[in-house]
Amino acid sequence: MAKEFQPVVLAAGKGSRMTDLTSQNCKALLPIGNMPMLWYPIDALQRAGFEEAIVIVLSSYCAEAQKLLVEVCDVQMRLDFVSIPDQDYMGTADSLRYIRDKIKRDVLIISCDLIMDISLHNIANIYRTYDATVTMLLCSPSDQTTEVPVPGPKSKKKSERDFIGFEGNRVLYMTSEADLADLDEDVISFRRSVFKKHPSMNIKSNLTDCHLYIIKKWVIDYLADNRQISSIKGELIPLLVKKQFSKAKKKELPNPNESVISEEVKTDILSYIPKDDMSGVIQNMSSWIDHTGDMEDCFHGNTIRCYAHIVKGGMCLRTNTVGSYCETNRQIPKYLMGLDKDLTNVASSASLKGKPQIGADCLIGDSCNIGEKVSIKRSVIGRHCTVGEKIKITNSVILDHVNIAEG
């Protein structure tokens, strides 16, 4: 897998949905279970056998990120940090375009805010099986999530549902509720030709896009030439899903009365697919391949193919709001102790006076001082914190170097 895919960690987001936490702090370095957020996807890559990765970060915290991951988190992977100027707004697709020259093979893209206990081999197997153009990770709402009171001003939640059409794990349709609202439509329209090929499409609206994708290298080449695409999830993936059912445009002869320089260059996405694509090789071996069911479409007709791995159960959380940040910290002690059986929830360098009540679902960071008659439940206490006597802490995330006075 390490030689097959080139991993890219997207960590240049500014955390616009959680500004209470990110107005003065870098989102990717926010502590979750006393580890920087960015460590979790990198650790997932390490456990999958990857030895190197590209990490895209904002230039203002590039040095800090390198120091934290190498010195504090003891990351063994070779990390190629690519810094983006803070003043330049770049969407996720813009970031990929920025590193185009570094991409040498099919790319595995993972967001810095994804924390999961899912094996990356599962999504890679689907990608290989169907020779997919893109395979994405989707998850169902977790039964483990709870409604924890969230600090900060109360505001109405904007609907962020996606409508995704499936046949098996083939993705046939994808649009967001916001896009439908912009079109002022109450119904979802489909091409009749799509239903002819896929008569049993199943539409789901309760899945979360985890921002983890495996994408063919030629898609990055297409992105480089089409600068109007800024977002992977919002623009690139829906485009690929839609283009599955398109046919290559016939090349028109140039206008003899028009200069070559003034002629408009039109980029058809299908023209970027390499001629020696593996699907062409497999078609030539049709005598021993069973072209039935979903595999029939895989190797006949559609040159662009989109698939998904849907996670049910386990931990799979995106930490992109204050609410999800609280929820992830609530679940993280169990997750970390599952990774390291020798890990204890109270750091060995922490000082405890008397016998404070500390729940098994809590984490106490390095060099903390916890006073007498203290009760800590469902909370994470950062490094170098001081908690005075007679204090109750519940459903809280205390960042590093915080002093909570007695009483």
Side-chain angles (χ1 to χ4, degrees):
M1 195 157 134
K3 293 181 179 179
E4 190 178 1
F5 306 119
Q6 192 168 357
V8 175
V9 183
L10 300 177
K14 296 184 178 179
S16 58
R17 298 181 185 179
M18 49 197 307
T19 51
D20 289 317
L21 292 169
T22 57
S23 58
Q24 295 180 354
N25 300 292
C26 164
K27 173 189 170 181
L29 299 185
L30 284 174
I32 295 176
N34 293 326
M35 300 292 277
M37 182 188 291
L38 179 55
W39 174 79
Y40 289 92
I42 290 173
D43 181 64
L45 291 171
Q46 278 192 149
R47 285 184 282 113
F50 288 99
E51 297 177 353
E52 57 185 14
I54 298 171
V55 183
I56 304 176
V57 296
L58 291 173
S59 56
S60 60
Y61 72 88
C62 184
E64 184 183 358
Q66 293 184 55
K67 184 178 179 180
L68 270 175
L69 291 173
V70 176
E71 296 182 11
V72 178
C73 303
D74 194 28
V75 170
Q76 300 300 312
M77 289 178 71
R78 292 189 298 274
L79 301 178
D80 179 8
F81 284 88
V82 178
S83 60
I84 291 175
D86 288 45
Q87 65 272 19
D88 294 348
Y89 170 77
M90 284 197 186
T92 49
D94 298 318
S95 296
L96 285 183
R97 191 180 296 115
Y98 192 74
I99 61 164
R100 177 201 183 178
D101 292 342
K102 291 178 176 284
I103 303 299
K104 306 301 180 186
R105 54 191 183 275
D106 294 353
V107 60
L108 189 157
I109 302 160
I110 185 168
S111 174
C112 73
D113 59 18
L114 176 62
I115 299 176
M116 60 176 189
D117 57 7
I118 313 303
S119 171
L120 290 174
H121 293 281
N122 294 334
I123 185 171
N125 286 340
I126 291 176
Y127 181 83
R128 297 185 192 108
T129 300
Y130 299 106
D131 189 26
T133 305
V134 59
T135 303
M136 64 195 85
L137 181 68
L138 305 173
C139 69
S140 301
S142 174
D143 296 330
Q144 304 166 338
T145 56
T146 56
E147 286 296 326
V148 175
V150 177
K154 303 299 179 223
S155 59
K156 288 186 178 180
K157 288 184 179 179
K158 294 181 180 179
S159 180
E160 296 181 354
R161 288 191 303 170
D162 292 312
F163 294 97
I164 307 175
F166 296 92
E167 189 174 61
N169 50 10
R170 176 86 181 263
V171 179
L172 305 172
Y173 177 84
M174 189 174 189
T175 192
S176 69
E177 192 169 17
D179 287 342
L180 288 177
D182 290 342
L183 295 172
D184 197 25
E185 292 185 4
D186 295 328
V187 295
I188 300 176
S189 302
F190 298 95
R191 294 182 191 176
R192 188 174 295 175
S193 59
V194 175
F195 274 118
K196 276 188 174 182
K197 275 192 167 185
H198 307 279
S200 56
M201 190 191 304
N202 183 14
I203 305 290
K204 295 188 178 183
S205 62
N206 65 336
L207 297 174
T208 299
D209 185 323
C210 299
H211 287 215
L212 189 155
Y213 315 97
I214 300 179
I215 297 178
K216 286 205 179 294
K217 181 187 178 297
W218 66 259
V219 177
I220 310 301
D221 298 332
Y222 172 77
L223 264 184
D225 294 337
N226 290 269
R227 307 188 72 84
Q228 74 278 10
I229 298 174
S230 181
S231 164
I232 296 174
K233 191 260 180 184
E235 296 171 279
L236 179 61
I237 300 299
L239 175 69
L240 291 172
V241 171
K242 184 179 179 182
K243 289 292 184 180
Q244 291 180 101
F245 312 106
S246 297
K247 294 181 180 179
K249 296 177 181 177
K250 292 182 180 179
K251 292 185 178 179
E252 297 179 2
L253 293 173
N255 186 341
N257 298 321
E258 190 175 13
S259 72
V260 176
I261 296 172
S262 64
E263 189 176 332
E264 184 183 357
V265 177
K266 296 182 180 178
T267 53
D268 176 16
I269 190 169
L270 298 179
S271 67
Y272 284 81
I273 302 174
K275 292 289 187 291
D276 59 346
D277 193 42
M278 192 63 187
S279 58
V281 176
I282 294 173
Q283 283 181 22
N284 294 332
M285 299 187 290
S286 59
S287 59
W288 57 271
I289 288 189
D290 177 20
H291 298 300
T292 58
D294 199 30
M295 297 301 284
E296 182 178 356
D297 261 339
C298 177
F299 301 118
H300 288 287
N302 301 145
T303 50
I304 295 178
R305 295 175 292 277
C306 303
Y307 284 83
H309 174 57
I310 302 175
V311 176
K312 295 178 181 177
M315 183 174 183
C316 190
L317 296 171
R318 284 203 63 218
T319 310
N320 59 347
T321 64
V322 175
S324 61
Y325 180 76
C326 294
E327 177 60 28
T328 303
N329 273 284
R330 188 185 72 80
Q331 295 193 33
I332 211 67
K334 183 178 178 181
Y335 172 84
L336 290 174
M337 289 175 194
L339 293 180
D340 183 358
K341 302 298 182 184
D342 297 327
L343 183 70
T344 58
N345 66 329
V346 179
S348 58
S349 58
S351 172
L352 309 181
K353 290 184 180 179
K355 293 183 179 180
Q357 296 179 349
I358 300 173
D361 53 1
C362 297
L363 286 177
I364 309 298
D366 293 325
S367 303
C368 283
N369 292 301
I370 310 297
E372 293 184 10
K373 298 179 181 179
V374 167
S375 171
I376 303 174
K377 298 177 181 177
R378 299 183 298 280
S379 298
V380 176
I381 311 297
R383 296 180 172 91
H384 305 284
C385 289
T386 300
V387 179
E389 296 181 3
K390 301 176 185 177
I391 290 173
K392 291 182 180 180
I393 300 175
T394 307
N395 288 330
S396 297
V397 181
I398 310 299
L399 303 187
D400 296 346
H401 301 282
V402 172
N403 179 22
I404 303 175
E406 180 181 345

